[in-house]
Amino acid sequence: MAPSRRLAFIDLLRGWAVIVMIETHVVNATIQKGIADAPWFEVINFINGLVAPTFLFASGMAFAVTTRRKLDSYLTVGTPLLRQVWRLLFILILAYMLHLPKFNLKAILEGFTERQYLVFLQADVLHCIAVSLLFLQAVVFLVRTEKLLYRVAGGVALIILFVTPFVWGVDWLTVMPAPLAAYMNGLHFSLFPVFPWMAFILVGAIAGHAFTLSQDRGTPESGPVFPIRPFATAGAVLLVLSFILIPLAWVYPTYDYWRYSPAFVLLRLGIVMLFAAGAMAYEVRKGVSPRSLVTMVGRESLLVYTVHLMLIYGDYGSFNFRRWSDHTFTLPVALVWTLVLLAIMFALAMAWDRVRRLDPKWKLRIQWGVVVSFVIAFLVGPLQ
């Protein structure tokens, strides 16, 4: 079944985020140190740094659109709610599995070093998405209405935005268990802790709700209404606010503009809102094909995200792509490898999209086959 047209521009937004994410990971894992330290490379770093905010924002939007369709079923403990909670828990479990020091039971039973333990617990993108969406799922179940849900989301987003510099000034390992401390800040390996990254998902959910409300104002004659101008205006306002907040740095005892400042968070939120407005405008004027490679990657983002990380960072016997490249690639060579990996990911997304359209039994067989294969690999260990 083709995806709902209402989700087309979100798939487009998420698809481009995934594509640039793959480029970011390949370049960061392989590029020569001298190139990465060049002043002009900061421009590439800034562009690449917009990937995660866009991906998180799009995840929040998709949650809001889905919640609008399934609100009644999410208010009672039944199959739809349990299936949704399990889906989010699965993402969280997968996130931790991707950070296992060794994908081998024997090695794990031998114990972790303290560093390996903290790296395993680090909050990455999938952790942040799963925890944030579980929070929103719990809120909607408790408050019972969308209106209250997004008021709570907005309030929590504001709290996260302005208290994050204070949170980053504390070593939470000294005051709470390590699994919880990992979600507070990035002092111990976490790349995407709740502070400030959850704000992107919460604002994305609010934006997704605004999008669904605008769609409801459409008629069969006029078609769906896309809030392009409001999104673009909101993005511009956030950009202005980001510069207004810069002088307030003195309020905080610890402050790092480029990592967690309210000003930088708002700057990226503003840019992402403009991206969303652009994606909507593209859908309205050009149309977004459900068979386009970009939207296909957006729909299969979890699969593509997981597999591309395994290919770049995974250990397969004595081979590891990142160690093999050993930061020796020039930028053109890294971009060639990016294209190779993108081709593999496009093929994977197309294949899985085709499987989805076939007999559901085939999809289930493939899923169970993959699960059994990974269990065997975990128990037996990699081939030497």
Side-chain angles (χ1 to χ4, degrees), residues 78-95:
T79 300
L81 177 60
L82 294 177
R83 185 181 294 120
Q84 170 71 351
V85 171
W86 164 244
R87 186 180 73 85
L88 297 176
L89 288 175
F90 172 77
I91 293 174
L92 188 60
I93 293 169
L94 179 62

Side-chain angles (χ1 to χ4, degrees), residues 103-170:
F103 194 73
N104 174 247
L105 179 61
K106 180 180 178 181
I108 290 175
L109 292 177
E110 291 173 353
F112 294 169
T113 64
E114 182 181 6
R115 177 185 173 85
Q116 287 176 326
Y117 180 60
L118 293 177
V119 170
F120 167 66
L121 293 176
Q122 69 175 275
D124 214 329
V125 167
L126 291 186
H127 299 78
C128 187
I129 290 175
V131 169
S132 300
L133 296 186
L134 282 168
F135 167 76
L136 288 174
Q137 202 71 53
V139 172
V140 72
F141 184 79
L142 293 173
V143 302
R144 319 298 288 175
T145 68
E146 285 183 294
K147 186 175 182 180
L148 285 176
L149 167 64
Y150 296 111
R151 283 184 178 179
V152 172
V156 173
L158 284 173
I159 292 171
I160 289 174
L161 179 68
F162 289 107
V163 307
T164 289
F166 293 112
V167 173
W168 276 67
V170 177

Side-chain angles (χ1 to χ4, degrees), residues 8-193:
F9 87 92
I10 301 178
D11 288 333
L12 182 66
L13 188 65
R14 187 159 46 191
W16 276 114
V18 171
I19 288 170
V20 181
M21 182 186 298
I22 291 173
E23 173 270 320
T24 301
H25 287 156
V26 173
V27 169
N28 289 345
T30 64
I31 201 76
Q32 295 173 0
K33 294 292 186 181
I35 297 175
D37 294 334
W40 60 266
F41 199 77
E42 291 300 319
V43 177
I44 296 178
N45 281 334
F46 179 81
I47 295 172
N48 290 345
L50 295 172
V51 169
T54 304
F55 192 64
L56 294 170
F57 183 90
S59 297
M61 288 200 72
F63 170 87
V65 173
T66 302
T67 299
R68 164 53 69 95
R69 294 201 307 258
K70 300 182 178 181
L71 180 62
D72 291 340
S73 62
Y74 285 168
L75 300 181
T76 58
V77 180
T79 300
L81 177 60
L82 294 177
R83 185 181 294 120
Q84 170 71 351
V85 171
W86 164 244
R87 186 180 73 85
L88 297 176
L89 288 175
F90 172 77
I91 293 174
L92 188 60
I93 293 169
L94 179 62
Y96 281 111
M97 289 180 64
L98 287 172
H99 287 287
L100 283 171
K102 291 286 185 180
F103 194 73
N104 174 247
L105 179 61
K106 180 180 178 181
I108 290 175
L109 292 177
E110 291 173 353
F112 294 169
T113 64
E114 182 181 6
R115 177 185 173 85
Q116 287 176 326
Y117 180 60
L118 293 177
V119 170
F120 167 66
L121 293 176
Q122 69 175 275
D124 214 329
V125 167
L126 291 186
H127 299 78
C128 187
I129 290 175
V131 169
S132 300
L133 296 186
L134 282 168
F135 167 76
L136 288 174
Q137 202 71 53
V139 172
V140 72
F141 184 79
L142 293 173
V143 302
R144 319 298 288 175
T145 68
E146 285 183 294
K147 186 175 182 180
L148 285 176
L149 167 64
Y150 296 111
R151 283 184 178 179
V152 172
V156 173
L158 284 173
I159 292 171
I160 289 174
L161 179 68
F162 289 107
V163 307
T164 289
F166 293 112
V167 173
W168 276 67
V170 177
D171 184 351
W172 294 95
L173 271 178
T174 63
V175 296
M176 62 173 55
L180 296 179
Y183 287 95
M184 301 302 292
N185 58 38
L187 297 184
H188 299 284
F189 303 107
S190 290
L191 299 176
F192 297 93

